[in-house]
């Protein structure tokens, strides 16, 4: 049991850190997309 | 501002990483590729250790592709059905390619075969796409261009006529095709990706256009969707091995997240045929970069057997191979990995060798640097071109809208 947990914890931490970074980048991407459309004066599609 | 990367222990200027991320973000969003063929050599030029460049690049690719795919999906450029079926074929193909590599390693000619295949593929694909572009635009003038995208290729039409059940209706792409065709094509492209040790976006994107028959923009969006899955798996796998410089990946991603917005938006304003032309030029440059790498490899051949023998006899290596290196499998992989992680020790060994070996090492580094600078220059140049074309397209659209309004007013 301890062996399984010791292997699972690093995997979970790695996956969580990667997921957090990806989520943060999604946010940056979304915000920059809005800003770019505003700068160029294009809306929607 | 210099940032310290704790895992690899190097310091690197943050703006370089942001700029690289941005340029490759533009290119990735525009072509539907991960761009590892540009990022990895460029990172190496910045002094980033190769052992960490691949893993860090993989994490950056996964994040950038998520941002670009989300945007492409909004534009209706992602064929989810096609993408999901392709993932299955790709996974099988990558495994087959990796197994072939292991077999070639036993035979002993792996590096040469991989590099030649890579060059043939890059130059072959780019030549074909350039030929197709010239054929389709022949006789059209700049002012009266009627060709915006290539139609379905003859090969794709033949593929779509094969009615082996089960058939799948690809609504976004606009045709029906046998699932078997998708699986075979994706397994083949996956095999090549696994064989070459690359993400494979640059093989999949043309295959989606020329063999399956997707419109250019759908090929770009669907390929990016697949890169999200493969990139995320790759990033996780490398991170578990401690090969992802998470700070560098995050800094690069800041640039890439913004760059991907420009690249994706540009696909809405640049004609499909032009996207194919720029892609062909990128492939040609990538091919030249591989030639440089090949030249670097030939200089490495002068001293590699002596270096390998020294590594195998080194007590530090023996100790490392017993513990951390054990997970890598073959002795050849262990030696390669140890060399990448212990650059200073290798430098010390080189310094004690004959002039011939020292010169060969210097030439190897020079050709590797040329390859990196070429890819860096290509990334910067192409992203400037893509953004300027996008701006032109937006201006033209606005002008046409004003004209249409004026005409309606009259």
């Amino acid at each position: 049991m301890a062996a399984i947990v010791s292997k699972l914890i690093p995997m979970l931490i790695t996956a969580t850190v990667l997921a957090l970074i990806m989520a943060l980048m999604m946010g940056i991407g979304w915000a920059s997309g809005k800003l770019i459309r505003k700068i160029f004066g294009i809306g929607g599609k | 501002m210099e940032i310290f990367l704790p895992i690899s222990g190097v310091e690197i200027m943050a703006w370089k990483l942001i700029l690289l991320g941005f340029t490759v973000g533009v290119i990735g969003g525009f072509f539907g590729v991960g761009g590892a063929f540009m990022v990895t050599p460029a990172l190496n030029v910045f002094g980033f250790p190769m052992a960490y460049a691949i893993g860090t690049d993989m994490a950056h690719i996964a994040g950038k592709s998520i941002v670009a795919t989300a945007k492409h999906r909004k534009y209706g450029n992602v064929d989810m059905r096609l993408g999901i079926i392709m993932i299955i074929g790709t996974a099988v193909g990558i495994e087959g390619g990796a197994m072939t590599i292991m077999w070639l390693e036993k035979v002993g000619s792996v590096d040469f075969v991989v590099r030649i295949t890579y060059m043939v593929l890059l130059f072959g694909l780019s030549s074909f796409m350039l030929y197709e572009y010239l054929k389709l635009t022949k006789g059209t003038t700049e002012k009266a261009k009627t060709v915006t995208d290539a139609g379905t290729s003859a090969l794709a039409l033949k593929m779509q006529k094969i009615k082996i059940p089960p058939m799948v209706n690809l609504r976004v792409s606009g045709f029906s095709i046998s699932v078997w065709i998708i699986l075979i094509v994706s397994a083949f492209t996956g095999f090549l990706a696994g064989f070459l040790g690359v993400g494979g976006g640059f093989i999949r994107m043309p295959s989606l256009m020329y063999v399956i028959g997707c419109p250019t923009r759908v090929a770009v969006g669907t390929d990016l969707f697949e890169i999200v899955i493969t990139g995320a798996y790759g990033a996780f796998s490398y991170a578990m091995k401690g090969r992802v410089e998470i700070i560098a990946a995050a800094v690069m991603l800041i640039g890439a997240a913004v760059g991907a917005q420009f690249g994706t938006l540009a696909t809405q304003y640049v004609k499909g045929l032009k996207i194919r032309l720029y892609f062909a030029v990128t492939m040609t440059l990538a091919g030249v970069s591989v030639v440089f790498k090949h030249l670097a490899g030939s200089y490495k051949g002068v001293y590699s057997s002596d270096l390998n023998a020294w590594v195998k006899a080194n007590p530090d290596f023996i100790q490392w191979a017993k513990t951390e290196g054990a997970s890598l499998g073959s002795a050849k992989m262990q030696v390669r990995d140890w060399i990448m992680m212990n650059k200073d020790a290798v430098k010390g060994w080189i310094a004690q060798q004959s002039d011939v070996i020292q010169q060969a090492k210097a030439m190897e580094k020079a050709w590797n640097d040329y390859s990196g600078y070429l890819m860096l220059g290509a990334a910067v140049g192409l992203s400037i071109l893509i953004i300027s074309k996008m701006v032109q397209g937006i201006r033209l659209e606005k002008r046409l809208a004003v004209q249409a309004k004026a005409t309606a007013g009259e």
Side-chain angles (χ1 to χ4, degrees):
Chain A
M1 185 66 185
I4 298 170
V5 172
S6 67
K7 279 197 171 179
L8 266 178
I9 287 175
M11 284 170 84
L12 277 172
I13 293 172
T14 308
T16 311
V17 170
L18 285 174
L20 278 174
I21 291 176
M22 302 305 161
L24 185 68
M25 293 311 139
M26 284 283 282
I28 293 176
W30 176 80
S32 60
K34 282 235 163 209
L35 192 68
I36 292 164
R37 283 200 297 278
K38 207 170 181 183
I39 290 168
F40 289 108
I42 44 173
K45 286 191 172 185
Chain B
M1 186 183 80
E2 279 206 338
I3 48 168
F4 178 68
L5 308 175
I7 302 175
S8 59
V10 294
E11 281 190 351
I12 200 161
M13 299 292 274
W15 70 265
K16 287 182 180 175
L17 290 176
I18 294 176
L19 178 73
L20 182 63
F22 176 81
T23 54
V24 184
V26 174
I27 291 163
F30 189 71
F31 293 131
V33 295
F37 60 92
M38 286 184 155
V39 180
T40 312
L43 276 177
N44 207 21
V45 164
F46 288 161
F48 209 92
M50 206 56 174
Y52 302 96
I54 303 166
T56 307
D57 185 23
M58 197 64 95
H60 142 261
I61 283 172
K64 177 190 71 184
S65 305
I66 293 174
V67 175
T69 306
K71 190 89 177 167
H72 271 290
R73 190 147 189 252
K74 198 176 155 198
Y75 292 140
N77 294 342
V78 182
D79 198 323
M80 297 289 272
R81 267 186 206 177
L82 176 61
I84 289 166
I85 299 168
M86 282 198 86
I87 287 167
I88 301 165
T90 305
V92 175
I94 287 176
E95 196 56 39
M99 280 164 75
T100 312
I101 283 290
M102 279 194 252
W103 175 76
L104 274 172
E105 268 187 354
K106 280 182 192 164
V107 179
S109 52
V110 62
D111 289 346
F112 179 77
V113 175
V114 166
R115 245 183 246 129
I116 295 296
T117 312
Y118 206 175
M119 279 190 261
V120 169
L121 207 63
L122 286 168
F123 287 125
L125 269 174
S126 58
S127 308
F128 171 73
M129 290 175 84
L130 277 173
Y131 163 77
E132 198 221 19
Y133 174 81
L134 293 171
K135 195 175 80 176
L136 286 167
T137 52
K138 202 176 171 188
T140 59
T141 62
E142 199 59 40
K143 278 187 178 173
K145 260 185 195 161
T146 50
V147 186
T148 56
D149 198 358
T152 313
S153 71
L155 177 62
L157 284 173
K158 274 184 195 164
M159 292 292 173
Q160 289 170 18
K161 274 182 191 161
I162 300 170
K163 306 282 181 195
I164 303 169
M167 297 291 287
V168 61
N169 179 28
L170 304 174
R171 253 185 314 123
V172 178
S173 300
F175 56 84
S176 293
I177 193 164
S178 168
V179 170
W180 295 107
I181 301 290
I182 302 172
L183 286 174
I184 291 168
V185 171
S186 55
F188 181 67
T189 54
F191 176 85
L192 284 173
F195 182 77
L196 297 172
V198 295
F202 75 94
I203 314 166
R204 246 185 340 261
M205 201 273 237
S207 305
L208 281 166
M209 293 188 299
Y210 295 108
V211 187
I212 306 269
C214 295
T216 307
R217 283 172 193 158
V218 177
V220 170
T222 309
D223 191 24
L224 273 168
F225 168 68
E226 223 187 307
I227 293 169
V228 171
I229 311 293
T230 52
Y233 173 73
F236 178 74
S237 172
Y238 276 100
M240 286 302 293
K241 289 174 188 135
R243 292 299 174 83
V244 177
E245 269 293 2
I246 208 79
I247 296 173
V251 172
M252 272 170 74
L253 265 170
I254 295 170
V258 181
Q261 297 293 325
F262 279 101
T264 313
L265 191 62
T267 59
Q268 300 303 107
Y269 293 96
V270 181
K271 289 167 186 162
L273 206 58
K274 282 271 183 201
I275 298 176
R276 295 185 187 207
L277 170 69
Y278 300 154
F279 187 77
V281 174
T282 312
M283 290 299 98
T284 309
L285 292 171
V288 175
S289 155
V290 178
V291 172
F292 288 175
K293 283 263 172 203
H294 183 68
L295 288 168
S298 63
Y299 282 106
K300 193 182 176 184
V302 173
Y303 67 87
S304 62
S305 56
D306 288 351
L307 176 63
N308 289 352
W310 171 75
V311 171
K312 279 177 187 169
N314 192 316
D316 283 351
F317 168 75
I318 296 165
Q319 185 59 35
W320 174 86
K322 274 184 193 162
T323 53
E324 290 172 63
S327 61
L328 290 168
S330 75
K332 198 175 177 180
M333 293 266 284
Q334 289 176 349
V335 170
R336 194 184 297 171
D337 229 54
W338 192 86
I339 290 171
M340 282 201 291
M341 309 266 290
N342 294 275
K343 272 192 168 177
D344 289 338
V346 174
K347 267 185 195 165
W349 178 80
I350 295 276
Q352 293 166 1
Q353 304 308 305
S354 65
D355 284 353
V356 177
I357 288 181
Q358 290 193 30
Q359 275 175 8
K361 180 68 187 165
M363 289 304 287
E364 182 204 352
K365 188 184 177 306
W367 281 110
N368 273 329
D369 284 354
Y370 295 153
S371 165
Y373 284 121
L374 177 71
M375 284 295 94
L376 194 59
V380 173
L382 273 162
S383 46
I384 290 171
L385 177 72
I386 292 166
I387 292 171
S388 67
K389 288 285 171 190
M390 181 194 85
V391 173
Q392 276 177 23
I394 292 171
R395 279 186 184 161
L396 181 70
E397 191 185 64
K398 280 187 175 172
R399 223 173 26 238
L400 289 173
V402 170
Q403 278 175 6
K405 224 175 182 180
T407 316
E410 282 168 15

